[in-house]
Amino acid sequence: MGYDTGVMSGAMLFIQEDLKVSDAQIQVLAGILNACALVGSLTAGRISDLIGRRYTIVIGAAIFLVGSVLMGLGLNFAMLMSGRCIAGVGVGYALMIAPVYSAEISSPSSRGFLSSLPEICINLGILSGYLANFAFGKLPLIYGWRAMLGFASIPSVFLAASVLMMPESPRWLVMQGRLKDARDILLRVSNSKEEADERLGEMKATVGIDKECAADVVAVTSKHHGEGVWREILQPTPAVRRVLIATVGIHVFQHATGIEAVVLYSPRIFKKAGLVTKEQQFLATIAVGVFKTVFILLAILLVDRVGRRKMLLGSLTGMITSLVGLGAVLTVVERSEQRLVWAEVLCVVFVLSFVSSFSSGLGPVTWVYCSEIFPLRLRAQGASLGVAINRLMNSAMSMSFISLYKAITIGGAFFLFAGIGIFAWVFYYKCCPETKGRALEDDMMEVFTRPGDKKPEQN
């Protein structure tokens, strides 16, 4: 998914030149993958409850493989769009299930680090996509962009094969009454036998099994295949309502603050600033990928020490400052009739500062936070809802940025993102309590419970 995002930023320039498509068609092509990810994310939760977290990842990888092959062939715009749509469904599956799987298999002491790994891998993919733009851009036009897009099929094959060697989520196994299988896996992934026993006891209590039960397989009253979950999400208790508000808000603001505009359209931004050749634009874009990856690595090392809330607020502070600076520089460039070298330099600096700030908090912490705050019985579908909102916002930003900057200028667009960032900061401060070190079972609901709330029933 990361590779596809990164490579599309440069491939769009060649596709527009080769297939003679308009800016409006390019916007739709850029955003349709995430619009179709809605389908994948909304169905993946129920599928993962039925067949398990691990095989759901395999299904997502297989779907993405088919889409990548179609994009690589790309005989015409319609085939290209079809490939993007199919790949989008696979992206929806992967984005929903990867953070859930990581959170459910991790111990509390390392959950933030391990739940951030999907984000670091997405950023490594984005950087790989930028490098592919630079490398394949030297091929003849008819082959270059097709090689860029078709290469995405290779990671999906490795993903499907490697997941088969990984253990199933112990929490999902407990939900199915398969206690021995869950115990065996917990002994492999916990720091000690005592921790494995404690985690197993918490999971059993969550699904209504006696903590002292020593049977290998038990009959669970509800198999937890998702029955009634959407009803509970749509008619929530006060604590679950606060979880839903936090989930919706954090996913909306992750993209409404402009990251998709910078990552997907960075060559256009650098062109507006005065970097005129494709080679200059791609080299600057590669720097974006490097900075994003480095600061993601820094963030995943700190998330379990510093805490989710502090990293979110610090990240947004840096993003807002960078957006104001970028908006000001691009406004000056647009109004000047001469080339301004200092403005080109500042534009690159503010873009790098923005992606670094995003990657040091809002990027990885969004997935960590939303994968851990839902109670077990709601986690898969709750994560599906979050991913659906995330992809909807991603799609909306991807499909509208060119039209937006043509309407209010490119500098005005980034001032708008900065204003949204201020609202986001206030929202995170008010609605997102700290979850560092909390157990995924009862402790997490206590974080969102207020005095006077009815105690939620344990299912």
Side-chain angles (χ1 to χ4, degrees):
M1 179 263 175
Y3 175 86
D4 186 86
T5 299
V7 81
M8 184 53 69
S9 68
M12 288 189 297
L13 303 177
F14 298 107
I15 291 169
Q16 192 165 20
E17 182 180 350
D18 186 21
L19 301 183
K20 312 301 181 187
V21 294
S22 65
D23 280 345
Q25 288 174 301
I26 285 293
Q27 284 187 132
V28 173
L29 182 66
I32 198 66
L33 180 138
N34 290 297
C36 293
L38 285 169
V39 178
S41 62
L42 287 173
T43 57
R46 182 64 184 272
I47 295 296
S48 71
D49 278 346
L50 285 170
I51 67 172
R53 314 315 195 200
R54 188 173 58 149
Y55 290 114
T56 304
I57 299 176
V58 176
I59 291 175
I63 295 171
F64 191 84
L65 172 62
V66 174
S68 298
V69 171
L70 286 176
M71 287 190 290
L73 293 174
L75 300 179
N76 50 49
F77 188 73
M79 179 179 283
L80 191 56
M81 284 287 289
S82 299
R84 292 282 288 174
C85 288
I86 294 171
V89 176
V91 165
Y93 269 73
L95 279 177
M96 174 266 148
I97 199 62
V100 170
Y101 177 83
S102 300
E104 290 188 346
I105 209 166
S106 309
S107 63
S109 62
S110 59
R111 190 176 61 239
F113 172 82
L114 293 174
S115 298
S116 299
L117 288 180
E119 183 68 17
I120 182 62
C121 290
I122 287 172
N123 279 273
L124 286 170
I126 289 173
L127 176 58
S128 300
Y130 291 158
L131 291 170
N133 284 335
F134 186 76
F136 292 130
K138 302 180 186 301
L139 295 176
L141 180 62
I142 191 173
Y143 301 119
W145 64 265
R146 290 179 172 89
M148 295 175 191
L149 298 180
F151 193 77
S153 61
I154 297 176
S156 61
V157 173
F158 281 104
L159 174 62
S162 61
V163 166
L164 294 175
M165 296 183 287
M166 294 162 60
E168 182 53 85
S169 161
R171 282 182 171 85
W172 181 81
L173 292 170
V174 171
M175 288 162 61
Q176 312 310 307
R178 295 165 56 184
L179 302 186
K180 182 181 184 301
D181 292 339
R183 187 184 302 113
D184 291 344
I185 289 172
L186 284 169
L187 288 171
R188 293 168 57 192
V189 301
S190 298
N191 297 314
S192 65
K193 182 179 183 300
E194 291 73 20
E195 181 187 294
D197 291 338
E198 182 182 354
R199 291 173 66 186
L200 181 61
E202 291 171 349
M203 294 174 197
K204 288 193 288 190
T206 301
V207 299
I209 301 173
D210 189 337
K211 282 189 175 184
E212 304 303 320
C213 177
D216 291 344
V217 179
V218 299
V220 182
T221 304
S222 169
K223 277 289 189 180
H224 291 265
H225 287 158
E227 300 90 340
V229 169
W230 284 113
R231 188 183 307 112
E232 190 170 352
I233 288 176
L234 296 174
Q235 298 175 349
T237 63
V240 172
R241 184 181 301 114
R242 295 185 189 101
V243 169
L244 285 169
I245 290 171
T247 298
V248 171
I250 199 169
H251 279 294
V252 166
F253 286 123
Q254 186 189 44
H255 290 285
T257 45
I259 185 62
E260 205 61 32
V262 172
V263 171
L264 198 54
Y265 292 103
S266 50
R268 288 174 181 260
I269 295 170
F270 293 135
K271 184 177 181 179
K272 287 283 186 181
L275 301 178
V276 292
T277 70
K278 285 188 174 68
E279 185 167 302
Q280 289 175 328
Q281 295 161 20
F282 288 161
L283 286 173
T285 301
I286 289 171
V288 171
V290 171
F291 272 72
K292 276 185 104 277
T293 304
V294 168
F295 278 87
I296 281 279
L297 286 169
L298 177 63
I300 67 173
L301 294 174
L302 295 176
V303 66
D304 285 314
R305 300 179 186 178
V306 176
R308 288 61 159 149
R309 178 182 166 88
K310 288 181 181 178
M311 292 185 70
L312 283 171
L313 296 176
S315 171
L316 268 169
T317 301
M319 289 170 63
I320 293 166
T321 304
S322 302
L323 286 167
V324 170
L326 185 58
V329 169
L330 289 171
T331 299
V332 170
V333 170
E334 281 196 313
R335 294 181 177 180
S336 174
E337 296 181 358
Q338 298 178 345
R339 182 184 178 188
L340 303 174
V341 176
W342 63 267
E344 294 175 14
V345 173
L346 278 181
C347 178
V348 174
V349 168
F350 282 127
V351 167
L352 296 179
S353 172
F354 174 77
V355 298
S356 300
S357 298
F358 176 86
S359 297
S360 64
L362 191 54
V365 174
T366 293
W367 300 105
V368 174
Y369 197 83
C370 294
S371 68
E372 66 188 7
I373 58 177
F374 281 97
L376 178 58
R377 65 189 181 277
L378 307 179
R379 189 169 299 135
Q381 277 85 344
S384 291
L385 177 64
V387 172
I389 293 167
N390 190 283
R391 295 300 91 189
L392 180 64
M393 288 301 302
N394 187 307
S395 178
M397 297 301 299
S398 301
M399 290 184 175
S400 64
F401 180 65
I402 296 176
S403 299
L404 178 66
Y405 78 64
K406 285 183 176 180
I408 63 173
T409 74
I410 195 164
F414 287 104
F415 283 132
L416 175 62
F417 295 148
I420 295 171
I422 294 172
F423 282 105
W425 197 99
V426 174
F427 175 85
Y428 293 147
Y429 184 81
K430 293 286 188 182
C431 300
C432 297
E434 184 57 69
T435 59
K436 180 183 70 169
R438 291 278 189 166
L440 280 184
E441 316 307 334
D442 293 344
D443 280 1
M444 202 61 74
M445 277 295 92
E446 290 177 6
V447 174
F448 288 89
T449 300
R450 302 288 182 268
D453 288 351
K454 290 183 179 181
K455 188 175 180 180
E457 296 179 4
Q458 294 302 312
N459 201 2

